[in-house]
Amino acid sequence: MATASGASARGAFVTEARSDDPYLYQVGFGNRFASEALPGALPKAQNMPQKLKYDLYVEGLTGSSFVAPRAENLNAWLYRMRPSVAHKGFKKLPANPDLESCFLTLNPKVHISPTQLAWHPFDIPSGGKKVDFIQGLKTIAGNGDPTLHEGLAIHMYLANASMEKKAFCNNDGDLLILPQQGRLDIQTEFGRLMVRPGELFVVQRGMKFKVLLPDGPSRGYIQEIYGQHYVLPELGPLGGHGLANPRDFESPLASFDIDQSAWEIVYKVGGELHACDQDHTPFDVVAWHGNYVPYKYELEKFIGVGSITKDHIDPSCFCVLTAKSKQPNVPLCDFLIFHPRWDVASNTFRPPYYHRNSSTEFMGLLYGNYGGRSDGFQPGGASFENGFTPHGVAYEEWEKATQHELEPRRVHEGTVAFMFESSMMFTISDWAIKRSGKLHEHEPKMWDGLKAKFMDHIDDINAELQAQGLPLLGETAPAVAKPVINGADEVKEVPKEAAPAEVKGDEPKEGSSCISS
């Protein structure tokens, strides 16, 4: 008897290659993945067997304490040709004067800004000198210190050359990397990823990686967080999906090289650069499994939410990733994006209202135009406000928004801007203040048009107050009658003109009362 049969998957879902990205990825956020580049390289039913296939070595990598709760326990098992201990020892490298990690005010190389700051697009190195990803790191701002396991740093990378026989391992914190110009072809111990402008890439601390520049000179933004890891924000009343969906995050498949030539591994530890030499590639992991894994995400996939009736929703509705601080319910930082979306609210001022937030805000622009932020806010530049610094759109943008016909419309078409927002105060690096050559303050004249239009309505207001029997604006309030005391318990009020004659000694100020025994 014939039976109808369908089809069965031949493996877990992976993405497809495309013209601008030749690599394949596993999907999901926080998953426990498993990947092997050669069949049978992953051991069965245990992590560290006495003997591995192909005489591989097992190496453990942890991203949390051993006793962290299961939901927060991060680790990976790597099965590689040679473990990371196979090197020739460490040497300290010359300091990069433009790289900063300590943002405490005791450090004379960082500065406080009470006002809004901005930077024109930062220059990518040109000429004959090669500058790779590591050499092109420039710190703008941050807070805390990596030795305290609390805080963050914001850097730019400005590079014109691919890393060759060199890898980078950041022991200080996780790196969230945002290319702005040119793709990054990134090789990690877990496999390869191609990251274009409009995508984010996260490589956690302790992982080795190498950056190639397939499109030539490249520029981008980096947020580094100390002691914490990025997680997805809670959705609350949104329910089970929305914002950045877990299935849209992509992690690499196992990929290895068999290169047995000389390599240099550069480590950043406590803000210092150290290096070790070895006679083999660090990218020799044949198989791996775990949940401590690098990943990327296409920002265009973000599902925006907002008001569909009136008023603005707080900017947390644009949060892609967040990182916890040591204070409950206060994030160390949020990563937000502002991208094309519909705006349909009624009787509502569309641009952000003028505000003074407790959070510190650092904005950048990946592509497109983001009007009204400041003069000169362009892709590859930046804008900054410390906590409680008053800010908002230019007067012209405000005036235009108040006159605009209220109808559904698209905003930020062809644009992706982002914000690094932190509950902590930032200090600014020497490079950003003194040596970048791109610093400019927000021009306060952009708000000169914000006059007190309320004063134009004084006559109308007084007419309304008079009709209600209330004091008029600008009038002196009537004086309060002064009491005098006759005897121990009796209080007698007297007319105002009689007070000087009947009250002796220290006279109370007009409009106050005085009771004495």
Side-chain angles (χ1 to χ4, degrees):
M1 179 178 175
T3 59
S5 61
S8 298
R10 291 179 291 176
F13 175 81
V14 296
T15 62
E16 296 182 357
R18 58 183 194 232
S19 60
D20 61 347
D21 187 346
Y23 305 129
L24 307 180
Y25 306 99
Q26 306 174 83
V27 298
F29 187 90
N31 294 12
R32 288 195 171 271
F33 294 109
S35 186
E36 56 183 9
L38 293 177
L42 272 176
K44 303 291 191 294
Q46 65 179 123
N47 296 321
M48 52 193 96
Q50 183 183 30
K51 193 79 171 173
L52 284 166
K53 191 173 183 179
Y54 308 122
D55 285 325
L56 296 171
Y57 295 90
V58 61
E59 182 175 81
L61 179 64
T62 62
S64 62
S65 68
F66 291 120
V67 295
R70 183 182 291 267
E72 300 172 13
N73 206 301
L74 302 171
N75 58 51
W77 296 94
L78 312 177
Y79 303 94
R80 60 194 317 156
M81 295 180 207
R82 278 196 265 189
S84 298
V85 294
H87 61 76
K88 302 180 183 300
F90 284 90
K91 59 186 178 185
K92 186 175 180 179
L93 297 177
N96 176 349
D98 300 334
L99 187 61
E100 188 56 66
S101 65
C102 176
F103 300 96
L104 307 180
T105 53
L106 297 174
N107 181 357
K109 296 185 294 182
V110 298
H111 311 273
I112 291 288
S113 172
T115 189
Q116 292 179 279
L117 299 178
W119 291 266
H120 296 296
F122 298 98
D123 291 334
I124 301 173
S126 59
K129 184 179 179 181
K130 290 185 176 181
V131 179
D132 64 25
F133 179 87
I134 303 173
Q135 297 162 336
L137 292 173
K138 312 284 186 181
T139 305
I140 298 179
N143 56 52
D145 184 283
T147 63
L148 303 176
H149 274 205
E150 181 82 336
L152 61 87
I154 295 173
H155 314 281
M156 296 295 297
Y157 72 84
L158 306 167
N160 63 11
S162 296
M163 294 167 63
E164 297 177 353
K165 295 298 183 72
K166 182 193 292 188
F168 185 45
C169 184
N170 183 25
N171 288 7
D172 290 342
D174 290 10
L175 299 177
L176 187 158
I177 302 173
L178 297 164
Q180 183 274 315
Q181 177 176 316
R183 291 174 300 164
L184 302 182
D185 188 346
I186 301 175
Q187 186 173 16
T188 76
E189 296 174 271
F190 295 81
R192 300 170 185 266
L193 306 93
M194 186 73 74
V195 188
R196 62 167 175 81
E199 292 181 315
L200 67 81
F201 168 66
V202 171
V203 57
Q204 294 90 327
R205 63 191 179 107
M207 297 180 180
K208 292 172 241 177
F209 67 99
K210 169 184 175 179
V211 177
L212 304 177
L213 308 180
D215 302 327
S218 184
R219 173 177 59 200
Y221 306 86
I222 301 174
Q223 181 171 251
E224 175 184 15
I225 55 173
Y226 306 141
Q228 304 294 332
H229 300 294
Y230 291 104
V231 296
L232 294 175
E234 300 297 340
L235 293 179
L238 294 183
H241 64 279
L243 307 185
N245 283 329
R247 65 164 293 187
D248 292 327
F249 288 81
E250 300 173 337
S251 291
L253 300 175
S255 171
F256 68 93
D257 294 337
I258 57 174
D259 181 4
Q260 301 297 294
S261 60
W263 277 74
E264 180 186 46
I265 316 299
V266 177
Y267 288 80
K268 185 163 80 71
V269 184
E272 296 182 352
L273 297 179
H274 299 257
C276 65
D277 295 324
Q278 60 186 52
D279 57 7
H280 58 98
T281 176
F283 306 116
D284 62 357
V285 177
V286 179
W288 59 265
H289 73 88
N291 64 345
Y292 194 51
V293 183
Y295 55 85
K296 74 168 188 170
Y297 173 75
E298 296 181 35
L299 300 176
E300 295 90 347
K301 292 181 177 178
F302 186 79
I303 299 175
V305 301
S307 171
I308 56 172
T309 54
K310 57 190 176 185
D311 291 344
H312 265 270
I313 303 299
D314 288 334
S316 51
C317 67
F318 304 121
C319 185
V320 181
L321 292 171
T322 186
K324 299 176 182 178
S325 72
K326 294 177 181 177
Q327 183 177 351
N329 301 316
V330 177
L332 168 66
C333 63
D334 290 327
F335 170 64
L336 320 174
I337 65 166
F338 309 104
H339 71 320
R341 65 185 189 273
W342 282 99
D343 187 84
V344 297
S346 299
N347 192 29
T348 292
F349 180 64
R350 204 222 60 81
Y353 46 87
Y354 294 108
H355 51 289
R356 296 176 294 157
N357 290 344
S358 62
S359 297
T360 297
E361 299 179 0
F362 178 94
M363 277 195 70
L365 185 58
L366 298 181
Y367 56 80
N369 296 290
Y370 193 84
R373 180 65 184 177
S374 74
D375 52 325
F377 186 56
Q378 301 171 38
S383 177
F384 166 81
E385 295 98 16
N386 245 325
F388 296 110
T389 298
H391 58 283
V393 298
Y395 168 74
E396 290 76 13
E397 291 292 323
W398 179 90
E399 181 68 18
K400 187 171 23 175
T402 61
Q403 306 300 322
H404 196 278
E405 183 180 355
L406 294 176
E407 59 183 4
R409 58 177 174 141
R410 296 281 293 176
V411 297
H412 300 323
E413 204 68 70
T415 295
V416 173
F418 71 87
M419 180 182 291
F420 296 142
E421 187 174 81
S422 176
S423 59
M424 299 174 70
M425 182 181 295
F426 286 8
T427 57
I428 314 296
S429 73
D430 253 358
W431 178 79
I433 293 289
K434 300 178 180 179
R435 298 194 298 276
S436 69
K438 300 298 178 180
L439 175 67
H440 64 104
E441 291 189 8
H442 283 255
E443 177 50 68
K445 292 181 180 178
M446 64 191 286
W447 298 297
D448 280 356
L450 294 170
K451 306 300 183 183
K453 297 182 179 181
F454 176 89
M455 302 301 295
D456 298 335
H457 301 276
I458 296 297
D459 291 344
D460 294 335
I461 294 171
N462 278 336
E464 293 182 15
L465 292 174
Q466 187 174 34
Q468 298 178 46
L470 298 173
L472 306 186
L473 296 183
E475 284 189 349
T476 303
V480 177
K482 301 176 183 180
V484 294
I485 298 178
N486 296 326
D489 301 314
E490 182 182 357
V491 176
K492 181 180 179 181
E493 291 190 359
V494 297
K496 179 180 176 183
E497 59 273 11
E502 297 191 25
V503 178
K504 308 297 182 181
D506 292 334
E507 181 176 334
K509 295 180 180 179
E510 184 169 322
S512 67
S513 63
C514 176
I515 300 177
S516 62
S517 57

